Amino acid sequence: MKVTRCLAGATGVALMGEGVSLLLDVPDLTDVLVWLGGAVVLHDAVIAPLVLLAGLVLVRGGVRGPVRGALVVAGALTVVALPALLRPGRTANSSVLPLDYPRNLLIAWVTVATVTALLLAVRGFARRRRPRS
């Protein structure tokens, strides 16, 4: 478990470094700061309370943590995808937002749900295999 956490932490630090390097190319950081501030407010005022409430109401026992984590990830993915999902109709330039964003968001949600289910299955299997004292 410790190795997994160290690996996850190292991956997170590497991805943050990539994000910082991309920010260095932005000429005016005002829009970025407004977007980040809005993301923090949206998370703290909407996503986190809804996730905590859903975890409290829908889930019991040891699966509450992974389910809440999956809901946080799904909520963050949704927030990031909202601008592309709410775009106005077709654009004159076909290269602007050319992908099927609703389908891709659904794929991301299914991936999050699948990874969460696999994590819970592995946990349950490991608990059953543990010798009882």
Side-chain angles (χ1 to χ4, degrees):
M1 186 64 108
K2 190 173 184 178
V3 172
T4 304
R5 287 185 182 185
C6 288
L7 184 61
T11 303
V13 169
L15 289 172
M16 286 189 297
E18 173 67 15
V20 168
S21 73
L22 291 173
L23 275 177
L24 296 176
D25 293 336
V26 176
D28 182 22
L29 291 179
T30 306
D31 291 337
V32 174
L33 293 175
V34 168
W35 187 86
L36 288 173
V40 169
V41 169
L42 183 64
H43 174 271
D44 290 351
V46 178
I47 295 175
L50 287 176
V51 165
L52 292 173
L53 183 63
L56 185 66
V57 171
L58 300 175
V59 185
R60 298 281 181 233
V63 299
R64 186 175 284 166
V67 169
R68 282 182 176 171
L71 289 172
V72 167
V73 171
L77 286 169
T78 303
V79 168
V80 169
L82 275 179
L85 294 173
L86 299 176
R87 73 180 186 266
R90 291 276 177 219
T91 59
N93 183 351
S94 64
S95 66
V96 175
L97 299 175
L99 303 176
D100 185 0
Y101 293 97
R103 184 203 64 189
N104 292 345
L105 180 61
L106 182 61
I107 290 170
W109 285 343
V110 169
T111 302
V112 169
T114 302
V115 168
T116 304
L118 287 172
L119 173 70
L120 292 173
V122 167
R123 274 183 156 186
F125 182 71
R127 282 193 183 130
R128 279 188 233 121
R129 293 206 37 150
R130 243 187 255 153
R132 296 186 183 199
S133 306

